[in-house]
Amino acid sequence: MPRYELIKEEIASIAKYVPGKSIDDIVRAYGLDPASVIKLGSNENPLGPSPKAVEALIKDAQGISIYPSADARELVEAISEYTGIDADHIVASGPGMDGLLDGLTRLVISRGDEVILTTPTFSYYEISARANGAVPVYVQREEDFSVDVENVLDAITPRTKIIFLCSPNNPSGNVVPEEDILRIAEATEALVFVDEAYVEFSDRNIAHLVPKYDNIIVGRTFSKAFGLAGMRIGYGMLPIWLKEEYMKIATPFNVSSTAVAAGVAALSDTEHLNKSIELARTGKKYLQDNIPFKVYDTQANFVLVDVAPHKARDVTTELLKKGIIVRDCTSFANAGDSLIRITIGTEEQNKRVVEGFSSI
């Protein structure tokens, strides 16, 4: 039997995840000086991590021969204090929020079940669901990237298991109003997963709904505002009944001891967090005012630019030649071919972005 026949047939339908390009990729491709390249394609924190998190990581590294707590209890308790949500509703996950997504899809999806995706949006929802046999159902967002609730409700069937709502949405940066989330959650027994990876940059969140509803889940990450993308820490806020089931299938020790230490320390450093949020807000206004293309409003640490009539791939290539890494959104389902996502950087980085776009 050929080896490829060992692979589940569901995997054949999955489009490979397309990450943002790395600095090494661009240096090799265009012969640039690594110091001249700015990476604004993956929504990382340009200020880096909290110094407190780095200090805690180094200190804890001496104990890495010992397994961490099975449920990352220390981190869960710190998250509880940060969010105001009882620890009984919280799970820590690794790697990142993606680990939470994988656990939930493995827990609830059987072959032939359906998940609803409001596109364009984060592509890993579909990858994780397809890997477990789900059929994706696409609901196109409106021209301003808002969610058409009626279309979502019309898409629900008896086989719908999860409805994914990214808020603020990746790649558009807009939030889903709480009333829309409630309309959807109250109309179905399916799980409503609200991805709040960028919530620290937003003026609202819906974590308070988790204890009140038995089908609303909120996922978050330490990779964005907290600057810990390399540590791959996420967490979820779940109904108590679902947390009990989730813990049965969670990968043992899936959050490392160093990640726990760094996460706890990062949550305590409100000064660094506030600086990161302010940097994004100030930079957003600068980019909106100065990029000579349509720039959508955002409640995240990135902006979405429509470079029509140009193609996104052509513009991103020209920017790469200048050492500016941004994200061509062509690989996002139903995103079209003229959208580019740009992480909001430092003042100097943002000026280079504007100069790069102005030269197109």
Side-chain angles (χ1 to χ4, degrees):
M1 178 173 65
R3 291 298 173 88
Y4 64 82
E5 292 185 8
L6 295 171
I7 306 300
K8 293 192 300 184
E9 62 181 80
E10 290 90 351
I11 304 302
S13 65
I14 297 176
K16 184 179 179 180
Y17 177 72
V18 181
K21 293 185 181 298
S22 71
I23 291 176
D24 286 343
D25 292 336
I26 304 311
V27 168
R28 285 195 300 268
Y30 299 105
L32 300 173
D33 177 1
S36 71
V37 179
I38 57 174
K39 187 171 184 283
L40 300 175
S42 300
N43 303 334
E44 296 142 333
N45 187 335
L47 296 182
S50 157
K52 292 183 179 180
V54 175
E55 182 181 353
L57 190 158
I58 294 172
K59 181 179 179 180
D60 190 79
Q62 298 181 43
I64 59 174
S65 61
I66 306 299
Y67 281 114
S69 56
D71 58 358
R73 187 68 191 181
E74 306 92 330
L75 181 57
V76 166
E77 290 175 353
I79 293 169
S80 175
E81 183 176 350
Y82 171 71
T83 61
I85 303 300
D86 193 276
D88 288 343
H89 289 279
I90 298 171
V91 297
S93 67
M97 194 201 302
D98 300 339
L100 175 67
L101 291 168
D102 283 342
L104 288 170
T105 53
R106 185 155 54 100
L107 179 65
V108 304
I109 289 177
S110 300
R111 187 173 184 179
D113 286 338
E114 297 173 352
V115 299
I116 294 177
L117 309 167
T118 56
T119 56
T121 196
F122 182 47
S123 62
Y124 194 73
Y125 310 139
E126 179 176 349
I127 292 172
S128 183
R130 279 187 182 272
N132 287 281
V135 177
V137 177
Y138 305 107
V139 176
Q140 179 78 30
R141 286 177 176 247
E142 300 290 347
E143 188 174 343
D144 63 354
F145 300 105
S146 61
V147 173
D148 188 318
V149 177
E150 293 301 326
N151 284 347
V152 172
L153 297 180
D154 288 344
I156 296 172
T157 74
R159 300 228 64 167
T160 303
K161 286 292 184 70
I162 306 177
I163 301 168
F164 290 103
L165 300 171
C166 192
S167 180
N169 185 48
N170 176 14
S172 55
N174 61 309
V175 299
V176 182
E178 181 175 315
E179 56 268 29
D180 290 353
I181 293 170
L182 288 177
R183 280 188 63 196
I184 294 169
E186 292 172 353
T188 180
E189 294 183 357
L191 299 179
V192 179
F193 185 98
V194 183
D195 179 343
E196 290 190 338
Y198 301 95
V199 72
E200 279 78 17
F201 304 102
S202 176
D203 62 8
R204 71 198 78 170
N205 72 83
I206 60 101
H208 60 280
L209 297 179
V210 172
K212 302 174 184 177
Y213 288 82
D214 64 2
N215 65 336
I216 291 180
I217 303 164
V218 173
R220 292 186 182 175
T221 182
F222 284 78
S223 296
K224 309 305 178 183
F226 293 104
L228 294 176
M231 297 302 298
R232 308 302 294 121
I233 320 168
Y235 66 96
M237 291 174 274
L238 293 66
I240 290 176
W241 74 267
L242 184 59
K243 175 179 176 177
E244 293 175 352
E245 299 302 318
Y246 176 89
M247 294 306 294
K248 295 178 184 178
I249 55 88
T251 306
F253 310 111
N254 66 73
V255 182
S256 71
S257 59
T258 50
V260 168
V264 171
L267 289 170
S268 73
D269 194 346
T270 54
E271 181 181 354
H272 183 78
L273 177 61
N274 290 336
K275 283 182 180 178
S276 302
I277 294 170
E278 184 57 32
L279 183 75
R281 288 177 177 168
T282 303
K284 174 184 77 168
K285 186 176 188 311
Y286 175 80
L287 293 176
Q288 288 176 324
D289 291 346
N290 291 281
I291 290 178
F293 293 98
K294 180 177 181 178
V295 182
Y296 289 89
D297 196 18
T298 181
Q299 291 204 36
N301 67 334
F302 56 82
V303 295
L304 186 68
V305 180
D306 189 341
V307 296
H310 302 286
K311 302 297 184 186
R313 66 174 180 271
D314 298 330
V315 174
T316 53
T317 298
E318 290 304 310
L319 292 173
L320 290 175
K321 293 176 182 178
K322 301 175 185 294
I324 302 171
I325 302 174
V326 294
R327 182 64 184 268
D328 174 2
C329 293
T330 307
S331 64
F332 285 75
N334 297 325
D337 60 6
S338 64
L339 297 178
I340 294 175
R341 191 191 68 198
I342 310 162
T343 306
I344 300 168
T346 63
E347 182 177 355
E348 180 182 350
Q349 290 172 335
N350 294 336
K351 287 180 178 178
R352 281 190 60 188
V353 167
V354 169
E355 290 170 0
F357 274 95
S358 298
S359 71
I360 300 298

